[in-house]
Amino acid sequence: MKTARLTTPYLVWMILFTIVPLGIVIYFALTDSVTGQFTWENIARISNYGPIILKSIWLALLSSLLCLVIGYPVAYHIAQQKPSRQHFLYMLIMLPMCISFLLRTMAWVSLLDDTGIINNFIRALGLKPLPLIRTNAAVVLGMVYNYLPYMILPLYTVLVKIDPRLIEAAQDLGCNNGKTFRRVILPLSVPGVISGFTMVFVPAVSTFYISQKLGSSGTTLIGDVIESQFKAAYNPNLGAALSLALMVLVLICIGIMNRFSNGEEVVTL
């Protein structure tokens, strides 16, 4: 009985801020914007944005993969340090997240713009400026920069908990550093990899501000389309349908990723 009382605030929170908003989204997605009657038209129109959805998935996956490649060595290095130094390095990873997401993105605009810091430096060297902004690469760069801490922190949390005796046992049994990493450290860190990949992919696939500031009309993502339906075009019913489709897509991707982390990892030497 006491347990039921303790869960009451959580249940109220979930109902007010999860179930009710989700119900509103479903209602708008399945109704006509003029008459308010039930219709499948909004759902059917999602197929018109198939290429944009696929592009959003591709750029989000690429950003997540790059965050993994960059973040894993960083998290591993932090986990190998003394506790006091770990806390300092952990703080450095968290520090950029204390700055506004908008300001961090605008900083990259100042760096990559045609008249930005980098191109002005290139001009000073007498060279032709580079097309650094309004490209897919610039959008991916913005995603990687903003979401990299979401990859490093779960990886660090898992790596720091690995029992050093397992590594010592592997080395005693003849494993070199490379084999120890492949057969002991990497398998044990898979939950952190899955968690970090998910935490980067979810915001990356739905982002819109980064693509607006660092991209162009050719780098429009599904988040941009959804935002435009609630602002410029003002068709909240279609925007709700696209939001519902994006949510289903994210849930499917999370479900697929979670299948790889189910069960305990087996360490084989």
Side-chain angles (χ1 to χ4, degrees), residues 185-232:
I185 299 175
L186 185 59
L188 291 174
S189 64
V190 166
V193 172
I194 299 297
S195 178
F197 203 93
T198 303
M199 291 179 66
V200 173
F201 176 81
V202 170
V205 76
S206 58
T207 190
F208 58 92
Y209 188 78
I210 294 175
S211 54
Q212 289 176 3
K213 294 302 179 181
L214 298 179
S216 63
S217 58
T219 56
T220 300
L221 304 181
I222 188 62
D224 301 311
V225 177
I226 293 174
E227 187 204 22
S228 68
Q229 297 304 318
F230 286 96
K231 287 187 176 181

Side-chain angles (χ1 to χ4, degrees), residues 3-254:
T3 305
R5 293 197 194 100
L6 291 174
T7 59
T8 300
Y10 172 76
L11 292 175
V12 172
W13 179 275
M14 289 295 294
I15 291 172
L16 291 178
F17 298 104
T18 301
I19 297 177
V20 172
L22 180 59
I24 294 174
V25 170
I26 295 175
Y27 170 77
F28 275 94
L30 298 178
T31 54
D32 183 77
S33 59
V34 179
T35 63
Q37 296 179 346
F38 175 82
T39 178
W40 290 102
E41 182 182 354
N42 297 318
I43 302 298
R45 292 177 63 184
I46 294 175
S47 59
N48 297 335
Y49 301 94
I52 295 178
I53 294 175
L54 291 176
K55 186 170 188 177
S56 301
I57 295 173
W58 161 243
L59 293 183
L61 287 174
L62 180 59
S63 301
S64 302
L65 183 60
L66 289 174
C67 283
L68 177 61
V69 172
I70 298 171
Y72 198 105
V74 175
Y76 183 77
H77 175 73
I78 296 175
Q80 299 302 307
Q81 305 302 311
K82 296 179 180 179
S84 58
R85 187 171 177 81
Q86 286 182 19
H87 296 155
F88 174 73
L89 295 175
Y90 188 91
M91 182 195 67
L92 292 181
I93 298 298
M94 293 289 294
L95 198 58
M97 300 176 68
C98 299
I99 304 173
S100 169
F101 177 86
L102 305 182
L103 291 178
R104 283 182 281 148
T105 304
M106 289 304 298
W108 277 107
V109 175
S110 300
L111 286 171
L112 303 178
D113 201 13
D114 295 334
T115 56
I117 297 174
I118 296 177
N119 272 323
N120 284 339
F121 177 74
I122 293 175
R123 287 191 183 93
L125 297 177
L127 301 175
K128 185 178 179 181
L130 300 175
L132 301 177
I133 204 169
R134 294 182 292 277
T135 62
N136 289 337
V139 174
V140 171
L141 176 62
M143 291 182 183
V144 171
Y145 172 75
N146 281 291
Y147 303 134
L148 183 59
Y150 299 143
M151 178 66 72
I152 295 175
L153 299 184
L155 283 171
Y156 162 76
T157 302
V158 172
L159 289 170
V160 78
K161 293 179 181 178
I162 295 178
D163 193 338
R165 291 175 297 180
L166 293 174
I167 299 175
E168 294 175 2
Q171 294 172 343
D172 290 341
L173 292 173
C175 290
N176 55 26
N177 291 336
K179 188 175 290 187
T180 301
F181 175 79
R182 291 194 309 270
R183 296 193 174 187
V184 179
I185 299 175
L186 185 59
L188 291 174
S189 64
V190 166
V193 172
I194 299 297
S195 178
F197 203 93
T198 303
M199 291 179 66
V200 173
F201 176 81
V202 170
V205 76
S206 58
T207 190
F208 58 92
Y209 188 78
I210 294 175
S211 54
Q212 289 176 3
K213 294 302 179 181
L214 298 179
S216 63
S217 58
T219 56
T220 300
L221 304 181
I222 188 62
D224 301 311
V225 177
I226 293 174
E227 187 204 22
S228 68
Q229 297 304 318
F230 286 96
K231 287 187 176 181
Y234 195 70
N235 188 350
N237 298 75
L238 178 58
L242 291 170
S243 300
L244 187 61
L246 182 61
M247 183 188 68
V248 172
L249 171 66
V250 168
L251 290 176
I252 292 173
C253 293
I254 291 176

